[in-house]
Amino acid sequence: MRCAGAADRTVLIAEEQTAGRGRRARQWVSPTGAGLYLSVLLRPGEVPTARLGTLSMVAGLALVRAVRAATGVPVVLKWPNDLLAGAGGGKCAGVLAEVGPRTAVVLGVGLNVTPSPVPVPLGPGALPATSLADHGARTTDRAEIASALLAELDRAERAWRGARGDLGALLDDYRAACATLGRRVRVELTGQELTGTAVDIDPLGSLVVAGDDGTRHSVSAGDVVHLRGGP
C-alpha cells in the first residue's frame, strides 16, 4: 500500500498476494480465494513514535475478538501477534506493522480462512500453518470476516489512539488472549537465544521472561517458540 496522499483508515483488500511477507521478510503464502489479505493505513499523529510498535498487538487483539465472534473458532495469540488455533497451536494469521513517513503505519493482516491449495513453509519452531475451516468455523465468508475484523480494529485502535499509544485498558484483554503467558518459551533474538518462562507483558508491550538462571528479561522483539511441557 502506498502511503502518500492516502487518508487515515484507508483499507486495501487483495484476492491474492504474489509477494506476501511476514516478519523478518519471511514468505507469507497467499493463494487466491483461501484467505483474507488486507492492509490498513493509519495516521495516529498524536501517538509518540516510541509507542507505535504496540499497534500490531492491538491488531492481534482485534483479530482474536473478530474471529471468535464471527466464526466461533477459539483462537489465541502467540506474542506478539500470531493467531493460533487448535490443540496443536497451528498458525492461522499474522500481523505486520510498518511505519512510514509522517507517522503513517500500514498494518498488514494475513488470515488463512480455508486450507491452502499449495504447500506452506513451517514457521519458527516448526510451527505448522492451519486455517479457520480446519477448526470448524461456522462461516468462511471472507467478506463477513473482514467486516468483523475491521469493526473490531476500529474500536481497539481508537481506544489505543485515545490513550496516545498506551495499551491501557486493552492490556488485560490482551493478556487474557495470549497463550504465551505461563509457558516455557525459547526467544530467538539476533545472534542469541533466551529460554525461560513467559511471566508477563508490560505496558509497552514487551514480553517479560523469567530466565532459567533466575533473571528477568524484557523482550521487545524476537521470535517466540512455545516449548513442550508448558501448560
Side-chain angles (χ1 to χ4, degrees), residues 45 55 110 119 138 162 180 203:
L55 183 53
R138 59 174 170 255
T180 302

Side-chain angles (χ1 to χ4, degrees), residues 5-89:
D8 186 23
R9 284 176 156 69
T10 295
V11 178
L12 176 65
I13 300 178
E15 179 68 13
E16 175 189 18
Q17 292 180 130
T18 57
R21 60 188 175 89
R23 295 181 63 250
R24 300 190 179 185
R26 293 189 183 95
Q27 180 187 14
W28 184 271
V29 178
S30 315
T32 302
L36 176 60
Y37 320 120
L38 63 83
S39 296
V40 182
L41 172 64
L42 298 164
R43 296 187 181 278
E46 59 269 63
V47 175
T49 301
R51 293 182 178 176
L52 291 177
T54 57
L55 183 53
S56 66
M57 298 174 68
V58 173
L61 179 58
L63 258 174
V64 167
R65 290 171 171 176
V67 168
R68 288 177 178 177
T71 73
V73 176
V75 291
V76 295
L77 288 170
K78 179 170 75 69
W79 183 90
N81 49 44
D82 286 343
L83 196 71
L84 308 184

Side-chain angles (χ1 to χ4, degrees), residues 104-144:
V105 183
V106 176
L107 278 176
V109 178
L111 173 62
N112 300 328
V113 178
T114 56
S116 173
V118 298
V120 179
L122 296 175
L127 187 67
T130 190
S131 73
L132 298 179
D134 289 328
H135 301 283
R138 59 174 170 255
T139 180
T140 56
D141 185 313
R142 288 174 297 145
E144 182 180 344

Side-chain angles (χ1 to χ4, degrees), residues 179-205:
T180 302
L181 288 180
R183 293 191 67 105
R184 280 191 53 76
V185 298
R186 182 177 72 248
V187 186
E188 299 175 351
L189 307 165
T190 303
Q192 60 179 319
E193 291 184 351
L194 168 65
T195 302
T197 301
V199 295
D200 197 10
I201 295 162
D202 71 22
L204 294 178

Side-chain angles (χ1 to χ4, degrees), residues 148-220:
L149 173 56
L150 291 172
E152 291 291 354
L153 179 60
D154 177 63
R155 283 191 284 271
E157 195 274 343
R158 286 184 188 277
W160 171 85
R161 192 183 298 205
R164 300 185 73 248
D166 189 330
L167 287 172
L170 297 174
L171 185 54
D172 284 344
D173 285 351
Y174 182 93
R175 286 174 175 144
C178 185
T180 302
L181 288 180
R183 293 191 67 105
R184 280 191 53 76
V185 298
R186 182 177 72 248
V187 186
E188 299 175 351
L189 307 165
T190 303
Q192 60 179 319
E193 291 184 351
L194 168 65
T195 302
T197 301
V199 295
D200 197 10
I201 295 162
D202 71 22
L204 294 178
S206 295
L207 182 68
V208 181
V209 178
D212 290 340
D213 60 0
T215 59
R216 288 199 172 202
H217 306 264
S218 183
V219 178
S220 59

